[in-house]
Amino acid sequence: MNDVTGESVSPEPRRRKVRRRLSDEEIAAQRRKRRRVQIGCGVGALVVVGFIGWLGYEGLQAKSNLEKAQDFATQAKDALLAGDTDKARVAAGDADRYAQDAQSSVDSVPWRIAGAVPFLGSPFDSTRQMTTIVSGLTEQVLLPAVDAGSAVSPDQLILDGARINLAALRDAAPVLETTSAAISDLDEQAQNVDSTWLGLIDDARVDLQEQVSELSGLLNNTSLAAQIAPAMLGADGPRSYFIGFQTNAEARGTGGLLGGFGIVRATDGSVTVDDLSRRDFRGPYEPIDLGPDFDQAYGASSPTTRAVNSNVSPHFPYAARIWQSMWRQETGEIVDGVIATDPVALSYILKAVGPVTMPDGERITAENVVDLTESTAYERFADNNDARKRYLETIAARVVERMTGSISNPQALLNGLGRAVSERRIAVWSSNQNEQVLLETTPLAHVVPETEAPFAHVFINNLGGNKLDYYLQRKIEYRANTCEGERRDSRVTVTLKNALPPGDYTNYVAGMFDNPINAPFGTNLTDLTLLSTEGSRLKKVTVDGRPLFAFVSSERGHPMFSVQIPIPQGQSIEVIFELDEPAVSGEPQVPIQPLRDTPTVLTDVPFCDG
């Protein structure tokens, strides 16, 4: 309808679409186009299938060759340790051949393409990283290490079961230094291999990390030994060492009270023990200067003139220099170095070399040596302290003589010594500055490190003059806040339990030499000290929630906070140090004082990039 005229308006006629008939040429062209698309899709499918097939083949080849390379690498390492250099050479060659084949597979084009796919490609990329490490392990480490075979074989390193093969160590030093550097680099790479969602590959990653780490420790230690052991064991002339036996039933900074001592002599790899001294450190002695910080922290206990307090600092070189000085003043002899150990370390050694027999026929074994020297002896020689010291010295002498005599299982002995070193139960100091610098790169030196990294070293000194630290149980926690600024709050919590069981004890064991607080019998009076991160400040310290006064000093750049606390028999106390410390980078360090117990240690310190 028209709005103006009112007339009806007819709609426009609908236009019809007329489909034009295609010519034969046009139909043929369309067919050719469809055929090209179909062929393209088919070729693409074939390419995908071919890629997957190629990738699968390369994957199986890489997996097989990598497993074989690792297996032969393990055989080569074991053969080296057993002194079979011929077998080690063959195994190392096989490991290298399979490692190179595996490397070819993971360097292929499909493998690299697959590894670049986000998430899904992680197993391929991780396998490529692992293969590169195994290839380097065989080529840069195992094959060269075969040339140093006798130096890394405990069976060949010890001649005639008694003398160290110093010539082999020195000859192998250049090769060991090279392989040590290579394995350290490979170990770092192995620890940084990316984890993956595929369990089979991730298990292989963990196995490789453990394998490389173990070999790294072996070669690094052997390389270090090749650098310093020949001279220290008398290759260039006789050496003498003061050896102190620490009784950690009465705690001191380096472990325990100096309970006995002797002199060890080394000549061209042969080690002998003098008749253990019938002297005792009674003094008086002229003091030595260990610096103003040492005097401020420890001067009140006269450590450089009184043997009973000579090792109150946990920095072993201080104790070593004091013992060297006291021995010189006693005898006129200047020893070339100092060694310290304890009964727990002796138990590890006895497990490897077998029991020793005392002059009266008593057998000292790995199972009873700790109890005999740190508990039973105090009852047996309750009224004769000199006799008790002689007893300890005789046990120690027999163990050292067994170590330096004919050794039927050198590998077991080295394993025992390694465990003692890892637990800080053996310490070594050399008066030769070059040797000492090298020693300080190892756990043997027992130094308080001058480091800016997060740090919490908790140690105790027994103030009661009793032997109650034999029953001490420790738990240490070091926690810090996140790294949101230049500084952060942290907390070190120390739980100490006096686990002395009910019973009758001598005053020497459970009494108190000086009892300024009138504590009950069986109370452990402890000087508890925290060495903290450089630049840290103590906000407060509490004992079972109660604020306590702390003595403040420093040691080798670390702020030092000490509290004196009684621990009644059968009870526990909790000491909390609340700190404000720099938010610095580096892995947190929590050195453990070597006492009889194995403390529980918890560390929760976020890593800072600053």
Side-chain angles (χ1 to χ4, degrees), residues 11-77:
E12 288 188 13
R14 181 178 297 176
R15 296 179 179 177
R16 296 178 62 187
K17 292 183 179 180
V18 178
R19 179 171 298 183
R20 184 176 62 86
R21 186 179 182 84
L22 297 176
S23 67
D24 292 340
E25 291 80 6
E26 289 173 324
I27 292 173
Q30 284 188 354
R31 287 175 177 171
R32 286 194 298 272
K33 182 177 180 181
R34 285 197 297 270
R35 189 177 296 114
R36 285 196 297 270
V37 171
Q38 291 171 347
I39 291 172
C41 291
V43 170
L46 287 173
V47 169
V48 172
V49 171
F51 178 84
I52 293 174
W54 188 8
L55 183 61
Y57 172 77
E58 294 289 1
L60 290 174
Q61 289 293 102
K63 177 178 180 296
S64 175
N65 289 328
L66 184 59
E67 289 174 346
K68 290 177 181 177
Q70 285 187 260
D71 182 56
F72 279 115
T74 299
Q75 291 181 35
K77 180 205 69 175

Side-chain angles (χ1 to χ4, degrees), residues 107-164:
D107 283 341
S108 63
V109 173
W111 198 283
R112 289 186 175 275
I113 294 174
V117 178
F119 179 70
L120 293 177
S122 67
F124 298 97
D125 190 49
S126 295
T127 301
R128 185 179 57 79
Q129 294 177 62
M130 289 189 290
T131 302
T132 300
I133 291 167
V134 173
S135 179
L137 177 67
T138 58
E139 182 180 3
Q140 302 171 36
V141 177
L142 287 176
L143 288 172
V146 171
D147 296 330
S150 60
V152 297
S153 167
D155 291 331
Q156 295 189 33
L157 187 58
I158 301 177
L159 299 175
D160 303 322
R163 183 168 64 86
I164 306 297

